[in-house]
Amino acid sequence: MPKMKSKRALRKRIRLTGTGKLRRYRAYRRHILTSKHPKRKRHLRKAALVSHADERRLKRLLML
């Protein structure tokens, strides 16, 4: 039986923190930025943690 493979696309989008939580970047910051206020764009720059509900599922995809 072949080896299990992790989802490489997800690996590039999500990082593991030191405490074992998953860090992600926020959506809605790719295009049509002229209609978004600077404050909104500034907050979208900061990374966020993956919600507790999704964490187990994503860790299984990443094979952690």
Side-chain angles (χ1 to χ4, degrees), residues 14-29:
I14 290 183
R15 297 272 181 264
L16 196 66
T17 63
T19 55
K21 295 178 182 175
L22 296 175
R23 195 180 68 179
R24 65 172 175 84
Y25 287 100
R26 296 178 187 274
Y28 307 111
R29 213 184 97 88

Side-chain angles (χ1 to χ4, degrees), residues 6 10-11 14 16-17 19-22 50 54-64:
S6 64
L10 192 63
R11 271 225 183 270
I14 290 183
L16 196 66
T17 63
T19 55
K21 295 178 182 175
L22 296 175
V50 169
D54 295 326
E55 200 169 331
R56 187 168 153 241
R57 181 171 54 90
L58 293 179
K59 280 186 175 179
R60 197 178 305 150
L61 290 173
L62 292 171
M63 298 183 69
L64 297 175

Side-chain angles (χ1 to χ4, degrees), residues 11-49:
R11 271 225 183 270
K12 294 168 189 173
R13 286 164 173 78
I14 290 183
R15 297 272 181 264
L16 196 66
T17 63
T19 55
K21 295 178 182 175
L22 296 175
R23 195 180 68 179
R24 65 172 175 84
Y25 287 100
R26 296 178 187 274
Y28 307 111
R29 213 184 97 88
R30 293 285 178 208
H31 57 88
I32 317 176
L33 296 174
T34 52
S35 62
K36 296 176 176 84
H37 283 278
K39 181 179 179 180
R40 182 175 169 193
K41 291 190 279 190
R42 189 166 60 246
H43 286 309
L44 289 173
R45 248 184 265 156
K46 297 175 183 172
L49 292 175

